[in-house]
Structure formats: C-alpha cells, structure tokens
Amino acid sequence: MPDPADAVPADYSAGRLDAGQVRSMFDRVAGVYDLFNTVMTAGLHHRWRRRAADLARVGPGSRVLDVATGTGDLALELLGRVSPGGEVVGSDFSEGMLARARAKAAAGGAQRPSEAGMERSAGAMPPLSEVHGAKLTFEWGDALDLPYPDDSFDAATVGFGARNFSDLARGLAEMVRVVRPGGRVVVLEMTTPTRPPLSWFYGVWFDRLVPWIGKLAALLARARGVSAQGTVAQAYTYLPNSVKRFHSPAELAAEMQRAGCVEIGYVLMAGGIIAVHGATVRG
C-alpha cells in the first residue's frame, strides 16, 4: 500500500488552498500541531508570541481579540497581560484547533463553567476561564467576517495565521474594524530571509527538512491510529510554500497601512525568519 505521506496534491505543494481546504487541514492536524511547532522552532515560538503580546501594548482591564487563534498559545499569553479585569477572545474557524485550545486552557488550571443545557449562539461559547478576574473565551469565527461590533476591542492579534487568509486585505481590514481608534493591531508571521547564509539554511530547512518532519508526523499519526496521516504530511508541504507566497515585511506593512493603520513598525527575529508587525488603528 502506498504511503499517504508521499501523495501530496499540487495545491498543497503550491501553498494554495481555498478556505474550505485550509479549515479541513487544520481540523485534521490539530492533534499533532503543538508537538511539531515545538520541533520545527526548537520551542522558540513561545518567545515570538511573547514579543507579539508586547507589541499589543495591553494591560489590566484590556479587551483583546486573537484572530486565527489555533491552539490558543497567543491568547493564553495575552491573558496574563490583561489580568485583572480584562478579557481575551480567541477566534478560529477550525473546530479541531478550538477543541485543543480549550483543553489546553483547562489543563493549565483554568476553571471552565458548566455548559450543560447551554446552547451555542452566533458561534460564541461561555467564558472558558477566569484567571485573576480576566476572562478567556475560545469561539468560532471567520477572520474575513468577524462577528463583533466596530471598535469593540483594545487590540487584535494574529499569530502565524495571516498567510492563511484567503483575502489578506479583507482580513486586516476586519481586524482594524473591530479595534477602537488608537488601539493596536499585531501580526506575527514567518517570512523569507533574502541574505545568505541564512537564506541558504532557510531553503534547506523549509524545502527539505520541514516536509520530512511532516512525513514523520504522518507516521506517528498512523502509529497512534489517527486517520489523518496523509493530511499531516500534506500540511507540512503546504507550510513552507505558503510562507514563500506571503508578503515581505515591507509589503505587509503597506497592506496594514491600506487597512487603516498608522505608526506601523516591525521587528525581525530568528535572523529574519520571523517578523512581528505592530501598528495603531487610525483615530
């Protein structure tokens, strides 16, 4: 029987998937997402998220939206910044990722209110946790059509999700719309270094090693009886190609300006592989 890890459709290899394909992919890889993020980044992704939270410039009592929250790491980092009295909403269109985020928050000692008899309304869930008086909620949401009123947050962040927006301009515009004037928009994303020797290492890492890690993940998924091993391998082929297709830091800054941001700046980390952009919503 052929190894499903070897069967990578052209759309994955090109880094081009429609919204439904991206949602399905993340639903199916949610169980191994955290493990292989840690392997691929040597655990540094937590440090990068802390830097993104710094640029959000939020404090006790702030209300923050984390778009494309995934398994919730950035939302959990922000929760500590808004305590006491604040609120973090983690929004994602992948129910598989949201399930992992809720489990992670609960495992970290968060108290989850009983949901018995509660019905879901407009994608919202009851507050998942209250830590020192700050609320954390993970709920379904479409990044291109956020279900929140204008000016309802002090900041909006997205960590490693902007390159998956099927319409980047619209996704950024939605983040700007839901943040009050003077609030902050932060985008944490991978980028492609252009100067050797890092560009050489980057090419080897993303073109050779990351797909190999995806195949290893597929084998581990198969060993655990997970039926999504083929999708796991495809996801780690999609990843490097989606990064190559994404905007340069300067181009992303220009997109943020067009969306309604001012005072835009960005910091390059990990030798230029990671960029975190912070901006203020125009008053």
Side-chain angles (χ1 to χ4, degrees):
M1 180 179 296
D3 185 344
D6 294 327
V8 180
D11 46 3
Y12 284 85
S13 298
R16 296 178 182 276
L17 301 178
D18 62 32
Q21 288 174 306
V22 173
R23 181 186 300 114
S24 175
M25 179 183 71
F26 281 116
D27 279 342
R28 301 183 72 186
V29 303
V32 295
Y33 183 82
D34 285 333
L35 172 61
F36 284 91
N37 263 0
T38 298
V39 171
M40 284 194 304
T41 68
L44 293 175
H45 63 103
H46 295 296
R47 180 183 301 176
W48 303 333
R49 286 185 171 90
R50 285 194 293 271
R51 189 71 179 103
D54 289 342
L55 291 184
R57 299 179 188 172
V58 293
S62 296
R63 189 167 190 250
V64 188
L65 173 67
D66 185 38
V67 178
T69 194
T71 60
D73 282 338
L74 183 50
L76 289 165
E77 178 65 37
L78 290 162
L79 186 66
R81 311 298 180 97
V82 304
S83 302
E87 180 181 7
V88 176
V89 177
S91 172
D92 203 287
F93 71 173
S94 166
E95 290 288 1
M97 289 291 191
L98 289 170
R100 298 292 298 179
R102 293 173 186 133
K104 186 183 297 183
Q111 295 183 350
R112 185 185 181 98
S114 171
E115 296 172 11
M118 294 184 179
E119 294 185 358
R120 198 165 151 166
S121 175
M125 294 289 288
L128 186 68
S129 65
E130 295 197 16
V131 180
H132 304 300
K135 295 180 180 180
L136 173 62
T137 305
F138 289 114
E139 57 192 35
W140 192 93
D142 182 349
L144 304 188
D145 187 18
L146 294 170
Y148 310 108
D150 296 357
D151 308 337
S152 52
F153 294 94
D154 298 298
T157 63
V158 57
F160 304 117
R163 71 178 183 279
N164 298 314
F165 292 172
S166 59
D167 185 335
L168 178 62
R170 183 174 172 184
L172 292 174
E174 277 293 276
M175 293 176 70
V176 169
R177 178 185 66 78
V178 300
V179 173
R180 62 170 175 78
R184 299 284 290 174
V185 171
V186 177
V187 180
L188 170 64
E189 194 50 89
M190 295 181 183
T191 188
T192 303
T194 57
R195 295 182 179 179
L198 187 63
S199 59
W200 301 336
F201 167 77
Y202 183 90
V204 171
W205 176 252
F206 269 82
D207 291 339
R208 304 287 182 85
L209 294 180
V210 170
W212 181 85
I213 289 172
K215 291 189 177 186
L216 177 60
L219 293 174
L220 290 176
R222 174 187 292 173
R224 299 161 97 181
V226 177
S227 62
Q229 61 263 29
T231 306
V232 171
Q234 293 161 2
Y236 287 92
T237 298
Y238 164 81
L239 169 64
N241 291 294
S242 68
V243 173
K244 290 176 186 176
R245 287 182 52 247
F246 195 62
H247 290 54
S248 70
E251 290 168 341
L252 178 56
E255 286 284 357
M256 294 177 74
Q257 182 178 35
R258 284 190 284 272
C261 293
V262 295
E263 301 173 6
I264 303 162
Y266 60 86
V267 178
L268 297 179
M269 298 178 289
I273 293 175
I274 301 297
V276 55
H277 288 65
T280 301
V281 173
R282 184 181 295 120

